[in-house]
Amino acid sequence: MGQLSFEEVVLKGLAPDNGLFIPEVIPALPPHWQNDWLNLSFEELAFRVFSLYISPAEIPSAALKDIIQKSYATFRVPSVTPTVTLDSDRKIHLLELFHGPTFAFKDVALQFLGNLFEYFLVRRNEGKAGKDREHLTVIGATSGDTGSAAIYGLRGRKDVSVFIMYPTGKVSPVQEAQMTTVTDENVHCLSVDGTFDDCQDFVKALFADPLTNTTLRLGAVNSINWARILAQITYYFASYFSLIRSGTFNPSTGHVGFVVPTGNFGDVLAGYFAKRMGLPMSKLIIATNENDILHRFWETGAYEKHTVHSAAAEGGLVEDGVKAHTEGVKETLSPAMDILVSSNFERLLWFIAYDVYGSDTMGVQERRQAAGLKVKEWQTSLKTRGGFNVEKKVLDAAKAHFASERVSDAETVATIRDVYRWPNTPGSKGYIIDPHTAISVAAALRSAEAAPGVDHVALSTAHPAKFSHAVEMALEKEKGFQFDDVLPSQFVGLKDLPRRLVHVQKRSGLASIRKLIVDEVEKELKRTYL
């Protein structure tokens, strides 16, 4: 597509050919950044990181600072994403990413993205009235947390409609309630009788559909939107500096690794960008559940869909939202990671292909084109054959930055229970983690056995109350355990509130969903401008 501005990339979300946007270069950190950034607040760190990617000609510094301040003023703790120590002897730490409005890590990105959308639209609509104003129709698919975080980031905003598709019965009751009890008229929840992958396919189809794009201006909130990845880079830096300030980590002699529970690869990809920018870290550890396409890739170099059906697909808890369906996703206790393919993985593949298949004799543009063609070849094979294999040099390049671990449901439950029993964890009682966090902690413990001198930071992506049934199953026999001790007041009575949602039949197809969205946007515009 050629060069696009940051504003164009944010508002488009997805390229016309269904490809994903990436920055032309990964910027290097400025001189003396370790000393200059050490004592900065989260908001100040975000400004420093974002300014390396966003030109002040696009967003003036004062405006960017204002966007950042508004985005993180909604968080419940001043540090936004605190890092706590779970086990000082084994150097196991936890990066708490659940202190935003919807109690999930996606708030970090989607509060920022919502304010970006608003900033760009206000600027574009200055002096315009009625139908001359630009209106953005944001479409997203969710396995639970993206939907609620997007809705809370966009609710009530002028000139924006948001449509979130989620698989019927495959998200937790809390997640569904957070989405469907929002009463703002610009928010629309579509419950689809399929899997998350079906919802994602509908989103991509709408972005690629000429008829939809002649009628609506579409925007994306899934991690396919580059701004989502950008926003998440900050908390890797914040955690690194937090460890230094705490006195538990000496950057001159120590090493730190980040362990990321991974489904669609967006969260760990942000860590990769931080690493490539110059943040010192050992390998990023990809922690998967039993839907382990990424773990199998790092083990074998084969990226292949591995469907399971009938009894083999069963697992997890209906009460916490599971996503197994006829397409063959494995049900687990960590449903937000129940995927067949990782939508952001192709972004990493491009950077690896650029390094591996480029040569010193090639110009930059020629290397970029070669990398793009290689990724297109792999993606075509994934769509037509269900997978692809890479050469050893590609796998070796991937292993230079990443390792992987696969964690079963049984290990997930055991880890929730073990962490609760650990002494000296934060709080007056045992520390409670959700099943997705348990996967990262389990993977961190394995890595710590192999590399005992490394500080491991496991990413905690959701508050335990969002997956209460798995937590209660793990801890119900533990002395002193009471789930009410960690139940946020915001969740009390949430499931009893009135709901706003539309049920969608997958077999109705793209045309039906397009009509539904177009009709609802037209109703909104009439209410707004008449």
Side-chain angles (χ1 to χ4, degrees):
M1 282 190 66
Q3 210 171 37
L4 294 172
S5 69
F6 177 72
E7 179 176 349
E8 289 172 315
V9 166
V10 170
L11 292 178
K12 285 179 182 293
L14 191 68
D17 63 355
N18 274 349
L20 304 184
F21 294 117
I22 52 174
E24 283 199 321
V25 294
I26 299 176
L29 296 171
H32 315 300
W33 67 273
Q34 284 181 298
N35 289 327
D36 294 346
W37 294 9
L38 175 60
N39 294 306
L40 296 182
S41 68
F42 185 91
E43 291 87 348
E44 290 167 332
L45 267 179
F47 175 74
R48 300 297 182 94
V49 171
F50 298 169
S51 295
L52 296 175
Y53 290 90
I54 305 169
S55 166
E58 283 206 69
I59 304 180
S61 295
L64 182 58
K65 287 180 179 179
D66 183 59
I67 291 169
I68 291 168
Q69 290 294 332
K70 286 195 294 186
S71 299
Y72 302 120
T74 60
F75 281 66
R76 295 181 301 281
V77 295
S79 57
V80 182
T81 60
T83 297
V84 301
T85 297
L86 292 183
D87 188 321
S88 56
D89 292 337
R90 287 181 284 186
K91 299 184 177 182
I92 302 296
H93 314 280
L94 205 65
L95 175 52
E96 294 182 341
L97 301 174
F98 50 75
H99 293 288
T102 70
F103 296 79
F105 81 100
K106 295 176 183 182
D107 288 322
V108 177
L110 285 164
Q111 287 292 305
F112 176 62
L113 183 58
N115 283 302
L116 274 181
F117 283 152
E118 183 174 60
Y119 175 80
F120 290 138
L121 287 170
V122 166
R123 187 165 68 181
R124 285 170 173 240
N125 286 329
E126 187 175 359
K128 297 179 182 178
K131 291 189 176 181
D132 290 334
R133 297 179 67 84
E134 289 193 33
H135 188 91
L136 187 66
T137 302
V138 174
I139 300 175
T142 187
S143 55
D145 286 332
T146 292
S148 54
I151 287 168
Y152 277 63
L154 295 170
R155 60 187 301 181
R157 295 190 187 271
K158 194 172 184 180
D159 298 314
V160 179
S161 302
V162 55
F163 293 81
I164 297 297
M165 299 182 219
Y166 67 93
T168 304
K170 311 299 181 186
V171 299
S172 77
V174 168
Q175 289 172 324
E176 185 172 31
Q178 283 183 316
M179 291 187 285
T180 58
T181 58
V182 172
T183 58
D184 299 75
E185 291 185 339
N186 72 322
V187 171
H188 308 272
C189 296
L190 310 183
S191 179
V192 181
D193 68 331
T195 65
F196 167 73
D197 293 311
D198 294 325
C199 298
Q200 186 86 298
D201 287 345
F202 274 130
V203 170
K204 289 187 174 182
L206 286 164
F207 273 92
D209 177 42
L211 186 55
T212 302
N213 283 276
T214 57
T215 310
L216 303 172
R217 182 187 186 100
L218 298 183
V221 289
N222 285 87
S223 55
I224 56 178
N225 193 310
W226 158 245
R228 282 272 308 267
I229 308 300
L230 172 62
Q232 292 170 186
I233 295 172
T234 303
Y235 50 67
Y236 287 91
F237 285 90
S239 183
Y240 176 80
F241 287 123
S242 176
L243 288 179
I244 296 174
R245 292 194 302 268
S246 71
T248 61
F249 172 69
N250 184 342
S252 301
T253 57
H255 300 278
V256 60
F258 291 89
V259 189
V260 188
T262 305
N264 273 317
F265 206 76
D267 205 2
V268 75
L269 183 67
Y272 172 76
F273 276 99
K275 191 173 190 291
R276 288 284 299 262
M277 289 168 70
L279 182 65
M281 66 174 84
S282 57
K283 291 182 180 180
L284 287 151
I285 299 170
I286 298 161
T288 77
N289 64 17
E290 292 169 74
N291 293 289
D292 59 352
I293 186 171
L294 290 168
H295 177 63
R296 286 182 282 113
F297 172 82
W298 260 269
E299 289 287 301
T300 67
Y303 188 76
E304 298 173 329
K305 294 180 183 180
H306 183 188
T307 59
V308 289
H309 301 277
S310 303
E314 294 175 359
L317 293 171
V318 172
E319 296 89 346
D320 280 343
V322 292
K323 295 191 293 297
H325 208 254
T326 55
E327 288 79 359
V329 180
K330 167 70 176 171
E331 295 177 343
T332 75
L333 295 173
S334 46
M337 296 160 61
D338 289 350
I339 49 90
L340 282 179
V341 296
S342 294
S343 57
N344 273 288
F345 186 52
E346 63 188 83
R347 280 182 162 128
L348 175 68
L349 289 175
W350 187 91
F351 285 102
I352 291 176
Y354 181 87
D355 292 338
V356 169
Y357 292 105
S359 69
D360 294 336
T361 61
M362 299 168 67
V364 171
Q365 195 58 36
E366 189 179 359
R367 288 184 70 172
R368 289 173 178 166
Q369 290 175 346
L373 289 172
K374 197 66 186 176
V375 173
K376 185 176 181 180
E377 174 190 317
W378 288 328
Q379 291 297 104
T380 300
S381 180
L382 177 64
K383 291 173 183 175
T384 58
R385 300 180 181 179
F388 57 86
N389 289 273
V390 300
E391 297 178 72
K392 183 179 182 298
K393 60 183 179 180
V394 174
L395 183 58
D396 288 344
K399 287 183 175 181
H401 295 285
F402 298 89
S404 69
E405 296 287 350
R406 176 185 184 272
V407 179
S408 69
D409 271 357
E411 291 167 315
T412 299
V413 171
T415 303
I416 295 172
R417 189 180 303 122
D418 290 346
V419 170
Y420 184 77
R421 294 172 178 174
W422 287 358
N424 305 318
T425 54
S428 58
K429 292 188 176 182
Y431 193 93
I432 300 174
I433 57 177
D434 91 291
H436 306 80
T437 302
I439 287 174
S440 65
V441 172
L445 289 168
R446 289 185 202 164
S447 183
E449 287 183 10
V454 175
D455 283 81
H456 286 82
V457 179
L459 272 62
S460 180
T461 53
H463 191 283
K466 298 199 81 168
F467 301 93
S468 58
H469 292 86
V471 172
E472 290 186 290
M473 181 180 73
L475 300 180
E476 61 184 352
K477 295 181 181 179
E478 294 301 304
K479 185 178 179 180
F481 168 69
Q482 287 185 313
F483 198 82
D484 286 349
D485 291 341
V486 293
L487 183 66
S489 60
Q490 294 90 334
F491 289 7
V492 177
L494 183 65
K495 288 182 280 187
D496 299 324
L497 295 176
R499 308 284 178 112
R500 289 180 66 243
L501 73 154
V502 176
H503 290 282
V504 175
Q505 299 297 314
K506 184 180 71 171
R507 65 176 180 272
S508 299
L510 178 65
S512 176
I513 289 183
R514 183 205 301 123
K515 184 178 186 307
L516 187 156
I517 292 173
V518 169
D519 288 349
E520 289 298 325
V521 171
E522 286 182 356
K523 290 177 187 175
E524 274 188 60
L525 294 176
K526 285 179 180 177
R527 286 194 298 266
T528 302
Y529 300 127
L530 286 182

